[in-house]
Amino acid sequence: MNDIKVLSVGGSRNIGYYTSIRLLGATVTFLLRSTAVFDKDETIQKHVASGKARLVKGDALVKEDVERAWAEASKGDDNRPVDFLVFTVGGTPQFKLSKGFVISPPNLVTQALLNCLQTLPTPTPKIIVISSTGLTRASHKSLPLPLKPMYGYLLQVPHKDKCGAEEVLAHCADWPWDARDSAGPDILGTDWEKRVPGRGQLKSLVVVRPALLTDGNCRADATPAGGNAYRVKDGDLEGSWTVSRRDVAHFLVEVVKDWGKWEGKH
């Protein structure tokens, strides 16, 4: 795994950060609004010094910045393309009584993803995207009953954004999509289909929908080989309550290691 190239978008914290730390040894390029976020991070700085971690200052909402990140991620003497995009963008929510948690801009995830897909290099890298459970009508039904009000009210704004991202991915991968779940033009923008690969053209893709996220320890690191620290299923996982961000990161690295097993799952 040490010879692969990864572009991490959303890797400054949380799942993206924990995933990138596990992947380092491979070459990981971070697109960061502020590279200073890692100034005192000894782990990252060690890999910056070795050339395995590359820090690109830019904003995923700016197409030209994303293009620069792709270009930096592809550099090297081996002429290898970028192997993976790990997309874990998520805003910092603020609570408003009338709307629950909100992010700014409200279409952050969708528009950042559109920029990544619009600027995809050739050959197309493998793509891993973090979403969430409970976004669509079908997925909401699988939530534990006590969590449904939280997802329906408190998280409705950030989840509408992620729903937009999932609609884009469903289009590109030609996955089924219920038009009633569309996030609409306020999130997607107009003519968004012209910015991304055509319907069904994006096959090397995995979408991961974690349960309610916590900051707990990584249970997988303490689980004996062959044990199950967390549950995984293709499609909606019924009765899923919480999962730690560190365990999600552990799973993303498992996806990278065994791509053939997980490719196309969502």
Side-chain angles (χ1 to χ4, degrees), residues 1 11 23 43 47 55 61 83 119-120 123 131 187 194 224 265:
M1 198 168 69
L23 288 172
T43 301
H47 289 288
L55 311 184
L61 292 175
D83 296 283
T119 57
L120 281 172
S131 184
I187 298 297
K194 297 179 180 178
K265 300 292 195 300

Side-chain angles (χ1 to χ4, degrees), residues 18-141:
Y18 299 133
T19 303
S20 299
I21 290 295
R22 287 179 175 272
L23 288 172
L24 277 167
T27 301
V28 180
T29 300
F30 296 83
L31 177 59
L32 303 163
R33 282 182 292 178
S34 173
T35 57
V37 70
F38 288 152
D39 281 355
K40 297 182 180 180
D41 190 311
E42 294 181 2
T43 301
I44 295 290
Q45 290 302 323
K46 177 181 67 176
H47 289 288
V48 169
S50 71
K52 287 293 188 179
R54 302 169 179 174
L55 311 184
V56 176
K57 181 177 174 58
D59 190 335
L61 292 175
V62 178
K63 187 181 78 168
E64 292 76 14
D65 289 352
V66 180
E67 289 176 327
R68 287 192 299 105
W70 281 121
E72 183 65 27
S74 68
K75 288 180 179 177
D77 297 331
D78 53 7
N79 294 317
R80 285 175 54 89
V82 180
D83 296 283
F84 285 91
L85 167 65
V86 178
F87 183 92
T88 58
V89 172
T92 302
Q94 295 183 329
F95 181 75
K96 293 183 179 291
L97 188 60
S98 61
K99 296 182 178 180
F101 288 105
V102 298
I103 57 173
S104 181
N107 58 358
L108 169 67
V109 176
T110 299
Q111 293 303 315
L113 180 63
L114 284 168
N115 281 336
C116 289
L117 298 179
Q118 187 176 7
T119 57
L120 281 172
T122 303
T124 303
K126 304 172 181 70
I127 299 173
I128 302 173
V129 177
I130 284 289
S131 184
S132 178
T133 191
L135 300 184
T136 64
R137 285 166 171 76
S139 181
H140 191 80
K141 292 178 180 178

